[in-house]
Amino acid sequence: MTEVSLAWLLTEAEIGYLEELYVPHALAGVMAQNGKQKAGNAV
């Protein structure tokens, strides 16, 4: 089997363009519940 590796190098302008439309949103489901428990406590 042949392995292929690709390296991506983006400029600051390219990164800005890709992040331009990103809108953060509140977590939902299991990910939202994870923040409510204390370390070491299983739900």
Side-chain angles (χ1 to χ4, degrees):
M1 177 179 215
T2 303
E3 292 185 29
V4 178
S5 176
L6 299 175
W8 293 82
L9 298 175
L10 300 176
T11 65
E12 290 294 323
E14 291 170 324
I15 293 170
Y17 174 77
L18 292 171
E19 292 180 342
E20 194 172 291
L21 297 177
Y22 175 74
V23 178
H25 59 280
L27 295 176
V30 174
M31 294 304 294
Q33 294 170 2
N34 284 342
K36 295 179 184 174
Q37 71 185 41
K38 294 182 180 178
N41 292 344
V43 177

